[in-house]
Amino acid sequence: MKRVLQYAALCGYVLFLGFPLLWMLSAAFKSPRELASIHPGLIPHHPTLANFRDAFAQQNLLHSAWNSLQVSVLASVLTILVALPAAYALVRYRTVLRQVALVWVLVSQIFPLILIVIPLFLILRQVGLTDSLPGLVVTYVVWTLPFALWMLQGYVRAIPKELEEAAAVDGAGKFRTLVQVVLPLLTPGIVVTILFTFITAWNEFFFALVLLQSPDLATLPLTLARFVGSEGKVALGPLAAGAFLATVPGLIVFAVLQRRLTSGLLSGAVKG
């Protein structure tokens, strides 16, 4: 009986989390008349693809998605390249800088976006990175780096130092130990960090709104916001269709990387 209740609670939780996506998918296939009805059902009575056609016709979704993809991938790669060695150094080398870095990580998560966006804009303007995708990439790397560093250092701390010592006894150098022993064990942490950074950059709206002015550089969240008219009138059908298409890349990235979450837990710990 206890197991049945646990599965029932789990199913209820999954439905609770998935309902917004189901409602968005349902709205994407409904006609404007059905969306305007007082009691619209979850299943469309007369499914239509007109909302998807209107979404592509009204806004340049594909170009905006390409901009978001470039920014998200570059931000994820750069964040990993910086956070991974920094996290290892923070855990394995206990210095004064370690405490300073940890304090910086905690303090950086306190400030709301509205307090830093104006200084950030002024700094990027001085170096000529406003209204550019590279400037947005740098912003996302700096913004996500503290949390990524905090996550990765937890994974590094979970790796027994005795594994590195055993590899050194077997004659492995420091670089070989890091590549063949430590790095495979950090695969789940790297995957989680990539997912976090990619999804954060893919969905981010506020920084992109402030830093980007050219329509050709608009990311997908900025383009989706244009479905809301100047008088607050929302093109609900095309917006739902565009929003659903915007969730697909994140689902694909998670589906591709989720297997790597557990594949690296024990790889590298076995002496070959």
Side-chain angles (χ1 to χ4, degrees):
M1 185 62 182
K2 182 179 180 181
R3 183 63 61 89
V4 174
L5 292 177
Q6 289 177 343
Y7 280 116
L10 180 61
C11 292
Y13 183 65
V14 171
L15 289 175
F16 174 78
L17 293 179
F19 180 78
L21 183 62
L22 292 176
W23 185 92
M24 182 172 59
L25 180 61
S26 173
F29 287 97
K30 290 180 179 179
S31 63
R33 181 177 180 180
E34 189 172 357
L35 286 171
S37 63
I38 299 178
H39 301 291
L42 185 62
I43 300 177
H45 297 294
H46 304 286
T48 176
L49 294 176
N51 291 324
F52 291 91
R53 291 194 298 267
D54 293 343
F56 284 100
Q58 295 176 17
Q59 305 294 342
N60 196 357
L61 287 179
L62 290 179
H63 185 71
S64 300
W66 173 243
N67 290 339
S68 290
L69 184 63
Q70 294 180 80
V71 170
S72 302
V73 171
L74 286 175
S76 302
V77 172
L78 292 177
T79 300
I80 283 292
L81 291 178
V82 176
L84 189 57
Y88 182 84
L90 284 177
V91 174
R92 292 293 189 251
Y93 305 103
R94 299 181 179 275
T95 63
V96 178
L97 291 177
R98 178 177 181 272
Q99 298 300 325
V100 175
L102 292 178
V103 171
W104 166 70
V105 168
L106 294 175
V107 172
S108 64
Q109 303 301 303
I110 297 175
F111 295 99
L113 296 180
I114 195 66
L115 292 181
I116 66 173
V117 67
I118 294 178
L120 175 66
F121 179 84
L122 296 176
I123 292 173
L124 291 178
R125 188 175 64 178
Q126 291 294 325
V127 296
L129 288 179
T130 55
D131 197 23
S132 67
L133 295 182
L136 195 60
V137 171
V138 172
T139 302
Y140 290 160
V141 171
V142 174
W143 181 248
T144 57
L145 184 59
F147 191 75
L149 183 60
W150 186 267
M151 285 194 301
L152 282 175
Q153 63 112 14
Y155 282 92
V156 174
R157 187 178 293 109
I159 299 176
K161 196 173 182 180
E162 289 76 13
L163 290 176
E164 300 178 48
E165 295 173 352
V169 171
D170 290 342
K174 189 66 175 177
F175 180 78
R176 184 180 176 185
T177 301
L178 292 176
V179 172
Q180 296 187 359
V181 177
V182 177
L183 193 59
L185 294 173
L186 286 177
T187 300
I190 294 173
V191 171
V192 170
T193 305
I194 291 175
L195 286 173
F196 165 76
T197 308
F198 181 88
I199 293 176
T200 299
W202 180 266
N203 294 328
E204 203 282 324
F205 175 79
F206 188 64
F207 284 133
L209 178 65
V210 175
L211 298 178
L212 301 178
Q213 287 83 42
S214 301
D216 291 340
L217 298 177
T219 57
L220 199 53
L222 293 181
T223 301
L224 291 176
R226 294 174 183 167
F227 286 103
V228 180
S230 58
E231 298 180 356
K233 184 178 180 180
V234 181
L236 186 56
L239 176 59
F244 175 74
L245 294 175
T247 63
V248 172
L251 296 176
I252 293 175
V253 171
F254 179 79
V256 171
L257 295 181
Q258 59 92 17
R259 293 183 180 180
R260 302 295 299 174
L261 289 174
T262 56
S263 63
L265 288 176
L266 295 178
S267 60
V270 180
K271 177 178 163 183

